[in-house]
C-alpha cells in the first residue's frame, strides 16, 4: 500500500481542514523531511527560495488565503512548484468587514461600547457616514464588493486600480495620492507585495487630510505605520480602522492607546462558513495536484 505523501503544515487551519489533510497526507508541523511534496500555509507565511531548496521534492504550495505575498512565486515557478490560493470564497466577508469598520470608526461604536461598559454615558458627537466620498484603492474582487455595499449610502465612490475600468460607474483617480485627496474615507483593498509596500506614506496621509479616515482590510505592508501614527497623533487625519498590521500580531502601543482608532485582529475572512470554504478549496487544489488534474485556483 502506497504511503501518503508528506505535507508541511505551516499555518493554524481549522479542525475540519486539518482532519481532511490528515486523511490524505503525513503531516509535519516542523522539520519537514526532504521527501515533502506539499505545503499548506496562510497568506502571510514566508516561503522563500531557500525554504524551497530545503525541500527538493516540493511540488505545490497551497495558500489557504486570497493573498500569497509571503511566497516567492518567481522562485517557485523557476523550480516547477505550483502555487494556489483561495480567491472568491472570502470576498463577501472581507467586504462586510470593511463596511463594519467604516461604521464603527465614523460613528465611534467601539469607543461607545467601552464607555458604557465602564459606566459612562455622555460622549462627543460622532460623524455622519451617509453622503461621504469613499475611495477604494484596488478594485479587484474585494474592492468591487466593498463598492457595491457602500454605493447606496456613499455620496460618491472613487477608485484607483492598475488601469481605468470601462464597465464601472465609479470615478477613477490615477494614483493613490489623488484618490486620498478626493476622498473622505480611504479604503485599502489592494494586494500586498513590493509594488504596494508602504504606498500609504506621509504624502498620501497629508492628501487625505484632517477630516479624512483610513480603513485597511488588505495587508499591513501597504501602510507606512510610523507615518500613520504620526499623522494620527498630530491630527493630520481624523482616524483609522485597521484589520491588518505591519508586524502581526504585534500592534504598536501608540495605535492601541488612541480613541480615534478601531483595531481588529486580521479577521477579514474569520467566519465559520468562509474558513471552512477556504479549507475545502485548499484541499481540493491539493487533490487536483496529486491526481494530475488542473488546479482549481492557480496563482498567475
Amino acid at each position: 500500500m502506497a504511503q501518503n505523501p508528506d505535507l508541511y503544515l505551516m499555518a493554524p487551519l481549522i479542525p475540519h481542514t486539518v482532519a481532511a489533510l490528515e486523511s490524505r497526507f503525513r503531516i509535519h508541523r516542523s522539520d519537514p523531511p526532504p521527501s515533502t511534496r506539499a505545503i499548506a500555509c496562510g497568506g502571510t507565511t514566508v516561503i522563500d527560495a531557500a525554504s524551497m531548496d530545503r525541500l527538493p521534492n516540493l511540488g505545490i504550495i497551497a495558500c489557504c488565503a486570497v493573498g500569497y505575498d509571503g511566497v516567492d512565486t518567481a522562485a517557485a515557478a523557476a523550480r516547477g512548484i505550483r502555487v494556489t490560493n483561495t480567491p472568491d470564497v472570502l470576498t463577501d466577508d472581507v467586504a462586510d468587514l470593511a463596511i463594519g469598520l467604516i461604521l464603527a470608526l465614523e460613528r465611534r461604536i467601539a469607543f461607545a461600547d467601552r464607555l458604557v461598559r465602564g459606566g459612562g454615558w455622555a460622549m462627543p458627537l460622532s460623524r455622519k457616514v451617509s453622503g461621504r466620498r469613499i475611495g477604494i484603492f484596488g478594485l479587484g474582487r474585494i474592492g468591487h464588493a466593498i463598492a457595491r455595499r457602500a454605493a447606496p449610502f456613499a455620496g460618491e465612490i472613487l477608485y484607483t486600480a492598475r488601469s481605468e475600468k470601462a464597465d464601472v460607474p465609479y470615478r477613477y483617480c490615477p494614483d493613490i495620492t489623488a484618490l486620498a485627496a478626493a476622498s473622505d474615507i480611504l479604503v485599502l483593498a489592494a494586494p500586498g507585495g513590493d509594488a504596494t509596500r508602504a504606498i500609504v506614506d506621509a504624502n498620501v496621509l497629508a492628501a487625505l487630510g484632517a477630516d479624512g479616515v483610513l480603513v485597511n482590510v488588505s495587508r499591513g505592508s501597504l501602510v507606512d505605520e510610523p507615518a500613520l501614527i504620526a499623522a494620527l497623533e498630530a491630527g493630520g487625519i481624523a482616524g483609522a480602522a485597521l484589520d491588518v498590521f505591519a508586524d502581526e500580531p504585534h500592534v504598536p502601543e501608540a495605535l492601541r492607546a488612541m480613541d480615534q482608532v478601531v483595531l481588529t485582529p486580521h479577521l477579514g475572512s474569520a467566519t465559520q462558513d468562509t474558513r471552512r470554504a477556504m479549507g475545502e478549496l485548499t484541499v481540493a487544489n491539493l487533490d487536483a495536484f496529486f491526481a494530475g488534474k488542473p488546479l482549481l485556483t492557480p496563482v498567475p
Side-chain angles (χ1 to χ4, degrees):
M1 183 176 178
Q3 191 175 60
N4 287 346
D6 292 294
L7 179 142
Y8 185 17
L9 181 56
M10 297 184 69
L13 306 182
I14 65 170
H16 177 267
T17 303
V18 173
L21 293 174
E22 288 176 339
S23 72
R24 293 161 167 81
F25 301 98
R26 290 195 303 166
I27 304 297
H28 304 273
R29 291 175 171 81
S30 62
D31 301 320
S35 56
T36 296
R37 299 283 313 282
I39 288 176
C41 63
T44 58
T45 305
V46 175
I47 306 174
D48 56 15
S51 302
M52 299 175 200
D53 288 341
R54 286 192 289 271
L55 301 174
N57 291 290
L58 184 64
I60 183 171
I61 299 170
C63 298
C64 191
V66 66
Y68 48 90
D69 40 292
V71 178
D72 186 336
T73 53
R79 290 158 176 76
I81 299 169
R82 306 298 304 276
V83 181
T84 66
N85 66 338
T86 59
D88 295 321
V89 293
L90 50 68
T91 296
D92 285 340
D93 276 349
V94 178
D96 288 348
L97 179 67
I99 299 301
L101 288 174
I102 291 171
L103 293 169
L105 177 62
E106 294 289 63
R107 294 306 309 272
R108 306 196 73 183
I109 294 171
F111 176 84
D113 177 81
R114 293 194 299 271
L115 178 72
V116 174
R117 290 177 186 274
W121 192 259
M123 64 176 280
L125 297 177
S126 60
R127 305 198 309 175
K128 186 175 182 177
V129 179
S130 298
R132 306 294 299 284
R133 295 169 299 171
I134 298 177
I136 302 171
F137 179 63
L139 205 66
R141 296 179 182 91
I142 292 171
H144 271 289
I146 294 169
R148 288 194 300 270
R149 285 159 171 76
F153 64 83
E156 184 180 17
I157 301 290
L158 310 91
Y159 75 97
T160 294
R162 292 188 181 94
S163 60
E164 186 171 3
K165 301 180 184 297
D167 57 345
V168 300
Y170 316 125
R171 175 154 63 104
Y172 176 72
C173 294
D175 57 61
I176 192 170
T177 304
L179 179 68
S183 302
D184 300 309
I185 300 168
L186 177 60
V187 182
L188 306 182
D194 291 339
T196 57
R197 192 172 308 280
I199 198 165
V200 178
D201 58 13
N203 291 331
V204 171
L205 294 167
L208 184 58
D211 289 328
V213 299
L214 177 71
V215 176
N216 191 2
V217 292
S218 54
R219 284 285 188 261
S221 61
L222 272 69
V223 178
D224 180 338
E225 218 163 64
L228 173 61
I229 291 169
L232 288 164
E233 289 177 338
I237 66 172
L242 310 170
D243 185 47
V244 289
F245 305 89
D247 183 25
E248 296 176 1
H250 307 292
V251 178
E253 170 59 29
L255 289 175
R256 291 188 281 124
M258 293 179 184
D259 286 333
Q260 76 274 37
V261 175
V262 175
L263 308 171
T264 53
H266 202 150
L267 50 75
S269 65
T271 67
Q272 296 177 17
D273 310 80
T274 290
R275 287 291 171 86
R276 186 179 182 108
M278 291 167 65
E280 289 172 349
L281 183 51
T282 300
V283 173
N285 273 309
L286 289 164
D287 284 345
F289 175 80
F290 283 98
K293 297 179 180 179
L295 301 175
L296 280 72
T297 51
V299 306

